């Protein structure tokens, strides 16, 4: 039996160290980081649904998996570096700037019909995410504690998905108004957002630490290892990594399935503007779900929310494999809801189980496991959707159940 007992509904303990920063300053930084998330995902999700115009379906899974893998693996190194240096903001600043510059450059590939250029820009974009990812997550944890942390992480995801929704709507309008050979002009215009991102990052700073009392012994250097050493976080990381084969599947591949693109030449396939509209709808439901997840997680705990989300993911993937028509659309939206609920909870669970000086490496480990799982899930799903059938979603549906078993066993063992 899977362990979903009510004791798991207790909120996760926090391992914060006090600092000299004021709550007002902390909230100001969280808002600024939230707007960075919005701006970043606006450009990302304006561009992403336009990519099928320049990259074939068979390559989408490989591109998305490889791009995400590069970014996630890099997070392990940059997260460790931010722990060892005690400084987060340079990684955050430069990572966002790389994102903001790489995306408008995709216009060159669309203009010249160069799929390899588009893929190269996508990989460069994910390098930016790798530079900033762990440091940004750790910076949010540094500036928050308790229930405020649950709300902050889910607020970040809500701003992500709100930006995605606005970006997707803008992409739908562009795809409807412009001919395919004119799309590059709209993508090039994303350079305007680069200035906004640069302005937002200028106001970030690291949370100051309390000055230790003179008699206090020197603390050991943080970030000395390459993997979290605390057993209380190792098993949850493994469970999240296994489930991530399905939960980190690119929403673009889910949208491709719902839109009927794997069936080459099918008259039922959606036009590009409708794909962009579907992408915006995914962003809306993810934003709403992420907003609600903060309140739910602070009451029932991140572990309980993860368990319920993984069970729901399995149901959604079975639906993607076996349904059609309106039910298939409902399953696509269901994937957006589940994704919105899960993303913040994973980070809350990790942040609450590690000390401040080890958060970068912990988030880097989470990113690395997600990278391996995401590369496998996206590559296999993309290839099999193009050359086999939607039954690949049945294979992916088993992975959250396996993660649920691992997480459940970890709970029972630690409780004695």
């Amino acid at each position: 039996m899977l362990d979903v007992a009510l004791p798991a509904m207790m909120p996760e303990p926090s391992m914060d160290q006090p600092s000299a920063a004021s709550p007002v300053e902390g909230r100001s930084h969280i808002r600024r980081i939230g707007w960075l998330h919005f701006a970043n995902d606006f450009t990302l999700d304006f561009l992403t649904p336009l990519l099928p115009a320049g990259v074939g379906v068979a390559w989408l899974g490989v591109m998305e998996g490889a791009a995400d893998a590069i970014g996630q693996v890099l997070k392990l190194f940059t997260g460790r570096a931010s722990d060892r240096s005690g400084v987060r903001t340079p990684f955050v600043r430069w990572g966002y700037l790389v994102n903001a510059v790489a995306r408008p450059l995709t216009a060159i590939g669309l203009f010249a019909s160069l799929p390899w250029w588009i893929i190269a820009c996508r990989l460069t974009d994910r390098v930016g995410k790798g530079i900033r990812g762990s440091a940004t997550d750790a910076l949010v944890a540094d500036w928050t504690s308790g229930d405020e942390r649950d709300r902050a992480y889910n607020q970040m995801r809500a701003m992500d998905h709100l930006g995605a929704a606005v970006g997707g709507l803008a992409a739908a309008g562009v795809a409807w108004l412009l001919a395919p050979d004119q799309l590059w002009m709209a993508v090039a215009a994303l350079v305007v957002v680069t200035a906004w991102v640069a302005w937002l990052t200028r106001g970030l700073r690291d949370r100051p630490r309390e000055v230790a009392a003179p008699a206090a012994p020197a603390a050991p250097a943080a970030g000395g290892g390459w993997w979290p050493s605390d057993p209380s976080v190792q098993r949850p990381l493994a469970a999240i990594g296994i489930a991530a084969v399905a939960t980190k599947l690119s929403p673009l591949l889910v949208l491709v399935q719902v839109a009927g693109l794997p069936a080459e030449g099918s008259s039922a396939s959606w036009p590009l503007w409708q794909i962009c509209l579907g992408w915006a709808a995914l962003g809306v439901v993810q934003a709403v779900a992420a907003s609600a997840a903060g309140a739910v997680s602070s009451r029932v705990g991140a572990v309980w929310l993860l368990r319920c989300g993984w069970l729901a993911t399995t149901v959604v993937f079975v639906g993607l494999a076996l349904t059609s028509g309106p039910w298939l659309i409902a399953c696509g939206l269901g994937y957006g809801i589940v994704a919105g609920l899960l993303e913040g909870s994973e980070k809350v669970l990790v942040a609450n189980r590690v000390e401040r000086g080890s958060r970068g490496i912990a988030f880097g480990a989470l990113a690395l496991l997600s990278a391996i799982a995401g590369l496998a899930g996206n590559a296999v799903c993309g290839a099999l959707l193009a050359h086999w059938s939607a039954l690949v979603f049945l294979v992916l549906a088993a992975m959250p159940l396996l993660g649920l078993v691992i997480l459940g066993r970890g709970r029972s063992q630690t409780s004695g």
Side-chain angles (χ1 to χ4, degrees), residues 16 30 33-34 37 88 133-161 290-291 293-294 297 302 340-352 354 359-360 363 366:
D16 294 301
I30 294 302
I33 296 171
H37 277 249
R88 318 277 194 202
S134 296
T136 303
D137 291 334
L139 188 62
V140 172
D142 292 347
W143 281 105
T144 58
S145 61
D147 290 348
E148 185 183 54
R149 178 173 296 158
D150 292 84
R151 290 191 294 269
Y153 276 113
N154 287 288
Q155 178 187 338
M156 297 302 105
R157 299 309 302 157
M159 292 297 284
D160 277 339
H161 299 312
S291 297
S297 179
L341 290 173
L342 288 178
E343 293 163 335
S345 299
E346 296 174 356
K347 294 178 179 179
V348 170
L349 176 60
V350 172
N352 285 346
V354 294
R359 284 174 182 150
F363 282 117
L366 174 63

